[in-house]
Amino acid sequence: MKVNSTELQNNFGKYLMLAAQEDIIITRNGTEIAKLTSLDDQLQDHGGAVNQIHENAPLYGYGKKATYEEFLQLWQESDERYEYIDGEIYLLASPRTAHQYAVTQLITAFSNIFQGTSCIPMVAPYDIELRRTPEQINIVQPDIMVICDLEENLDANDYYKGVPTLIVEVLSKGTRRKDLIKKLDLYMSCGLKEYWIVNPDNKEVTVYLFEEQNIQEFTTFKQNEIAQSYLFEKLKIDVQRIFR
């Protein structure tokens, strides 16, 4: 079956299910650009690498890079949510209940803890622009972010152009690899100071402290423990309260 990229974006769930039965060839402007295929298939390219598109893989797959302009066009023409990391576009699927429960518990606690301070907790969807270099633009939508320099970094269109002080990502099956590897490296490289990874499956919270674009310290907090921020003394969260 062939489908154009716009149709795929508008009905991604439908074609994801159909891919379990047959390969979906994705076209853009009449040119075949990728293939949506079942994970049961082992499709090899000429170099012997497996090329597949699934929920935690780049939307355009096959190692094909998309330009920032292509990402902007997609972002403007679609109602879906996307991230753009190291030249690849990722579709953000609708989160499950465990994910949203954790986000709700955390943002409520964060809002109370930071009330009356210069730091403001924000929740997705909210685009954050990060640059490894001046030319290498990345767009992410963290689950939660704590911004301590909001007013100083708002542009004329009311978009934040700074780097949050703290970011929280709640893992899900579709984003686990991206959050644990790609985003950790991106955040560390772009000046983030503290990164929380919240795992609803293991009911754990791992807190990373970044300094000089490297991991300075990290601690994993389990149930019946109190997750403690490295940067904010008053930021303490009872881990068991985060999860259902």
Side-chain angles (χ1 to χ4, degrees):
M1 176 186 297
K2 289 188 178 182
V3 59
N4 65 55
S5 58
T6 301
E7 170 67 14
L8 177 73
Q9 293 151 20
N10 292 337
N11 298 281
F12 187 76
K14 167 187 171 182
Y15 290 106
L16 196 62
M17 290 186 290
L18 288 174
Q21 304 174 21
E22 61 176 302
D23 291 344
I24 309 294
I25 305 299
I26 303 163
T27 65
R28 186 171 62 213
N29 298 326
T31 302
E32 295 181 4
I33 60 170
K35 181 185 293 183
L36 186 66
T37 186
S38 169
L39 286 177
D40 293 333
D41 298 331
Q42 297 298 306
L43 300 179
Q44 305 291 326
D45 67 8
H46 295 298
V50 178
N51 286 318
Q52 299 169 325
I53 300 178
H54 43 93
E55 284 196 49
N56 61 355
L59 181 64
Y60 288 118
Y62 288 93
K64 177 180 174 60
K65 298 289 186 178
T67 67
Y68 181 62
E69 288 69 27
E70 288 174 321
F71 165 75
L72 286 180
Q73 181 180 358
L74 179 65
W75 178 76
Q76 292 167 356
E77 294 178 352
S78 174
D79 292 329
E80 301 285 356
R81 294 171 53 215
Y82 300 97
E83 292 183 313
Y84 183 68
I85 302 175
D86 294 334
E88 295 176 329
I89 300 174
Y90 293 83
L91 172 69
L92 298 178
S94 177
R96 297 187 180 183
T97 301
H99 179 282
Q100 290 303 87
Y101 184 90
V103 170
T104 300
Q105 297 301 310
L106 285 166
I107 193 62
T108 300
F110 277 40
S111 296
N112 290 332
I113 291 168
F114 287 104
Q115 186 174 12
T117 75
S118 60
C119 297
I120 303 173
M122 307 283 277
V123 67
Y126 189 67
D127 287 334
I128 296 294
E129 178 183 299
L130 299 174
R131 297 175 183 247
R132 293 186 188 271
T133 68
E135 298 77 25
Q136 193 174 2
I137 303 174
N138 298 269
I139 303 294
V140 293
Q141 289 194 4
D143 290 315
I144 296 173
M145 62 230 81
V146 176
I147 298 173
C148 299
D149 58 355
L150 182 66
E151 296 302 326
E152 300 96 310
N153 287 287
L154 287 177
D155 68 10
N157 295 314
D158 199 35
Y159 287 108
Y160 176 68
K161 295 299 182 181
V163 177
T165 300
L166 185 154
I167 281 177
V168 180
E169 296 286 7
V170 179
L171 300 184
S172 61
K173 291 182 179 179
T175 66
R176 182 182 305 272
R177 181 182 181 90
K178 176 159 59 81
D179 291 340
L180 288 172
I181 300 174
K182 278 187 170 289
K183 280 192 169 181
L184 188 150
D185 180 68
L186 176 66
Y187 293 156
M188 181 173 60
S189 300
C190 293
L192 183 72
K193 294 180 180 179
E194 186 166 302
Y195 182 35
W196 290 36
I197 295 180
V198 177
N199 189 335
D201 291 335
N202 295 339
K203 294 182 169 55
E204 295 178 350
V205 176
T206 300
V207 179
Y208 291 88
L209 176 67
F210 297 146
E211 289 186 7
E212 297 180 353
Q213 299 184 339
N214 208 340
I215 298 174
Q216 182 68 21
E217 295 185 56
F218 72 94
T219 304
T220 296
F221 301 93
K222 303 179 183 297
Q223 286 203 87
N224 302 318
E225 295 183 337
I226 303 297
Q228 170 68 61
S229 167
Y230 287 107
L231 297 176
F232 302 102
E233 183 179 354
K234 294 183 179 180
L235 182 53
K236 302 177 182 179
I237 306 291
D238 187 346
V239 173
Q240 65 183 359
R241 292 183 57 190
I242 300 173
F243 307 109
R244 295 175 60 244

